[in-house]
Amino acid sequence: ILEHQAVYTGGTSATEKDLINTGKIPRYFTGRGGQWTYHGPGQRVVYPIINLNNKKKDVRKYVESLESVVIGILGDIGINGFREKSVHGIFVKKDDGYKYKISSIGCRFKNWISYHGFSINNNPDLENYNGINPCGSSNKFVTSIFDLGKDIAVNELDIAIKRNILKNI
């Protein structure tokens, strides 16, 4: 569980057309699944290393378990997170009625061992999402725990992350 310096990372489905105005923020292609995302201060990035040889070898089920982890984390702090069938990640509804992405998921496996994982926006500078179309969708529909009116200390968030990983994976 960590925070990165500001960086845009592109997964195996990332295309140049989703780079809008990256400015001084560096861009890197990674081996994980997914498209472009932003990582930076105020965002927790979680890299669970799970051996699926010891569990059911089902990538979809694993991704769903990561989604359950994030939904559980948000639930622990009083936020209702949910899945969207057409894309990976976790979303919330704001008072304006729109769905906003609060967590991205991008995985990769080697010999059925997971690497990469998920990110959850605690209190990042949401303006940094303006440099990309995150996960191929509109950058204006990204939010954070803080943006939703919750001020959560990093150590509290980390406790919720660990608790929900142990419960859901």
Side-chain angles (χ1 to χ4, degrees), residues 35-104:
Q35 299 178 27
W36 288 104
T37 195
Y38 166 76
H39 293 307
Q43 178 190 72
R44 299 307 276 167
V45 182
V46 183
Y47 297 106
I49 300 169
I50 306 294
N51 186 346
L52 293 186
N53 288 299
N54 301 328
K55 299 180 176 287
K56 187 172 183 181
K57 293 180 181 178
D58 186 334
V59 172
R60 184 170 306 197
K61 182 174 172 45
Y62 178 74
V63 170
E64 287 173 359
S65 71
L66 290 181
E67 291 172 336
S68 294
V69 167
V70 176
I71 289 169
I73 294 164
L74 294 172
D76 285 354
I77 55 179
I79 295 173
N80 183 32
F82 57 90
R83 295 173 174 90
E84 277 292 298
K85 291 182 185 195
S86 60
V87 293
H88 294 296
I90 297 302
F91 296 79
V92 296
K93 253 195 184 163
K94 290 177 70 173
D95 291 340
D96 62 9
Y98 289 104
K99 296 177 244 180
Y100 290 77
K101 193 167 199 175
I102 194 166
S103 171
S104 294

Side-chain angles (χ1 to χ4, degrees), residues 30 33 50 52 56-58 85 87 101 105 109 116-117 148 151 155 161-162 164 169:
T30 67
I50 306 294
L52 293 186
K56 187 172 183 181
K57 293 180 181 178
D58 186 334
K85 291 182 185 195
V87 293
K101 193 167 199 175
I105 295 175
F109 298 87
H116 296 287
L148 295 171
D151 191 6
N155 63 328
I161 290 168
K162 292 171 189 174
N164 282 281
I169 296 182

